[in-house]
Amino acid sequence: MATFAVPRDVNIKPLAPVWLFDLDNTLHNASHAIFPAITANMNTYIARVLGDGMTPAHTDAVNAARTLYWKRYGATLLGLVKHHGVKADHFLAETHGMEDLLSMIRHEKGLGQLLKRLPGRKVLLTNAPHRYSTMVLRHLGIQRHFSHHIAIESMRVHGQLRPKPSKLLLRKVMRRQQVAPRRCILVEDTLANLRTAHALGMRTAWVTQYLKVGDPIGTAHPPKRLNRPGWVDVKVKSVKHLPARLSRLRRNTVIE
Ligand SMILES: [Mg+2]
């Protein structure tokens, strides 16, 4: 059997990773008050879209459409754009515009310290709109730790809106960042997004503390047990546990 020896003059050290961080329910608790408010705003919006122009659609029809589009396209918005001619910018402004947003944010302390401790570049990759995610980031005091902030408006590939978990989107992000998938680590609460990232060759970290099972945007109860699927490399309750799991998330690479 052949054996491989590493020459003495070759350093083996991990390349600095590129972190792709989700925002909602990864870096703060969106399930607490923000997602319920967004859901209510979405319901009002969808009821108007599905209605006859005078009377809003019934709640059952609204819930069915919201869930169907979220499951089929990964984002309710895509279904509304595709099937009802909704303008994305209008929908995002109406559903994410909360007067008391800042008072609704719940988060852990020490996020800035955590991001500083993690080696490598950090990119914020959120399916939320730019104005909303900027306000949340500023409130968390962590915007300076991200080299790039990619919000849903920028998630266009060949002119089409392609939010997570689109493979086309993730490939485009890697091209723009000039990074190979094996150096990327996606940190997320949404399993569908981690699954795509894993299929492309990225490492994946699943953050579970803010998760709710059932409704796609978080009106159900916290899950009792969370099994780690095969496409998740590391499961952590909080992002603050990531430094302890670094060795599993990084790949050793030979650098001459
Ligand atoms: Mg999320």
Side-chain angles (χ1 to χ4, degrees):
M1 186 191 290
T3 55
F4 298 93
V6 177
R8 282 178 185 278
D9 58 346
V10 171
N11 290 320
I12 297 182
K13 63 177 185 181
L15 282 173
V18 174
W19 300 83
L20 305 176
F21 270 91
D22 174 48
L23 177 64
D24 290 331
N25 277 354
T26 295
L27 290 167
H28 73 107
N29 184 358
S31 293
H32 167 70
I34 294 174
F35 276 178
I38 291 174
T39 305
N41 290 345
M42 276 191 190
N43 286 347
T44 305
Y45 194 100
I46 298 167
R48 210 163 60 222
V49 169
L50 300 182
D52 59 11
M54 297 289 285
T55 316
H58 190 269
T59 311
D60 292 345
V62 171
N63 286 334
R66 200 187 65 238
T67 308
L68 174 74
Y69 294 154
W70 193 87
K71 283 184 180 162
R72 186 181 292 174
Y73 301 111
T76 306
L77 168 62
L78 293 192
L80 294 173
V81 169
K82 194 176 173 79
H83 299 289
H84 304 281
V86 163
K87 298 273 181 251
D89 290 348
H90 185 252
F91 174 83
L92 292 168
E94 294 264 313
T95 54
H96 286 71
M98 288 157 277
E99 282 178 17
D100 46 356
L101 172 64
L102 300 185
S103 68
M104 297 159 83
I105 299 172
R106 293 290 180 279
H107 66 96
E108 294 176 290
K109 287 182 180 159
L111 292 175
Q113 281 299 319
L114 172 264
L115 292 167
K116 204 170 152 187
R117 265 182 81 190
L118 292 176
R121 192 155 84 235
K122 288 109 204 169
V123 175
L124 190 82
L125 189 67
T126 172
N127 276 7
H130 194 267
R131 185 169 180 274
Y132 160 88
S133 44
T134 301
M135 286 174 74
V136 175
L137 267 194
R138 279 193 189 142
H139 187 77
L140 299 179
I142 55 173
Q143 71 270 37
R144 69 178 177 279
H145 296 284
F146 292 97
S147 64
H148 295 81
H149 173 175
I150 303 170
I152 193 165
E153 297 93 333
S154 325
M155 294 177 170
R156 288 192 178 272
V157 185
H158 307 310
Q160 299 283 319
L161 208 51
R162 301 278 187 200
K164 293 180 288 184
S166 163
K167 281 187 182 172
L168 291 173
L169 167 77
L170 292 180
R171 286 201 186 102
K172 184 175 176 181
V173 169
M174 288 187 287
R175 268 201 312 278
R176 288 272 167 95
Q177 293 291 322
Q178 298 187 308
V179 65
R182 65 196 164 81
R183 269 181 67 194
C184 292
I185 304 168
L186 180 66
V187 185
E188 266 278 353
D189 65 298
T190 302
L191 282 174
N193 301 342
L194 295 168
R195 187 176 201 167
T196 302
H198 173 83
L200 291 175
M202 295 183 186
R203 287 281 158 123
T204 54
W206 187 26
V207 180
T208 60
Q209 67 177 334
Y210 305 129
L211 272 179
K212 303 220 172 176
V213 158
D215 189 294
I217 42 181
T219 52
H221 298 289
K224 288 194 182 78
R225 272 188 75 207
L226 295 165
N227 293 323
R228 181 177 66 83
W231 63 85
V232 168
D233 294 301
V234 161
K235 182 181 111 176
V236 288
K237 192 173 167 209
S238 157
V239 289
K240 292 170 86 172
H241 301 144
L242 289 171
R245 310 300 301 279
L246 258 184
S247 60
R248 195 172 160 80
L249 286 170
R250 297 179 76 169
R251 287 166 204 259
N252 285 328
T253 307
V254 178
I255 308 169
E256 296 192 37

